[in-house]
Amino acid sequence: MVGQPGFGATLGLAGALLHSLNHALFKSLLFLGAGNVLRATGTRDLERLGALARRMPVTWMVFLIASAAIVGLPPLNGFVSEWLVFQALFQAGFRHSPAELSVFGAAALALVGGLALACFAKVCGGVFLGRSRTETGRAAREGSAGYLARGGAPAVAWVARGLA
């Protein structure tokens, strides 16, 4: 229970394991989305892309959900696992004399989350929003039904798991 010796370590381990699993899930979905964009446009150059949200709405929503999950925004599963790690760091700070270590750990985790948010905001904004910068981007079309099913199902499951 909360407040018992060793609870913070157990909570930290559970949070780290859950976050490792979650990270593997959202990273794979982001790679699927990037592959779908590459297949549709033929380019990996982010400066040549733009306005794909109108042409590839399902890919956009799946990529947006995966980006929000990897950043750790509620109510997605990335938030749940990061919250467990934060709680473990706070438990360690209250229980042990070197509270500075857990404060630095919490600050570092928050910094990494902020940097991830900036990174994925740039990718989502540059690739899916704005104007098409080339003919390649204007000719893009949504992927196959197989991709949409492989990408959409985990995205819906993450929202449900995060809410649960």
Side-chain angles (χ1 to χ4, degrees):
M1 293 296 152
V2 176
Q4 290 183 355
F7 180 73
T10 304
L11 193 61
L13 180 62
L17 291 173
L18 181 60
H19 197 67
S20 295
L21 173 69
N22 286 339
H23 198 79
L25 294 172
F26 15 89
K27 199 57 104 90
S28 63
L29 194 54
L30 287 167
F31 276 115
L32 280 171
N36 199 37
V37 168
L38 175 62
R39 185 209 49 80
T41 63
T43 184
R44 291 181 288 180
D45 185 3
L46 297 182
E47 300 303 319
R48 298 180 50 134
L49 300 172
L52 293 182
R54 282 181 254 145
R55 291 170 184 77
M56 303 172 74
V58 176
T59 301
W60 159 239
M61 286 309 300
V62 168
F63 201 88
L64 184 65
I65 290 170
S67 297
I70 204 166
V71 169
L73 296 178
L76 300 168
N77 58 342
F79 172 76
V80 173
S81 57
E82 283 192 15
W83 182 251
L84 290 174
V85 173
F86 271 119
Q87 289 300 312
L89 287 168
F90 295 144
Q91 287 282 328
F94 291 131
R95 191 158 297 290
H96 302 292
S97 59
E100 299 85 21
L101 293 177
S102 55
V103 169
F104 287 133
L109 188 57
L111 175 65
V112 168
L115 292 173
L117 177 63
C119 171
F120 284 103
K122 179 178 175 14
V123 170
C124 287
V127 172
F128 292 102
L129 301 178
R131 294 181 175 199
S132 293
R133 295 181 202 69
T134 63
E135 190 59 40
T136 304
R138 288 188 272 287
R141 296 292 172 253
E142 192 66 80
S144 67
Y147 165 76
L148 301 179
R150 285 190 307 271
V156 170
W158 292 343
V159 173
R161 197 164 94 194
L163 289 172

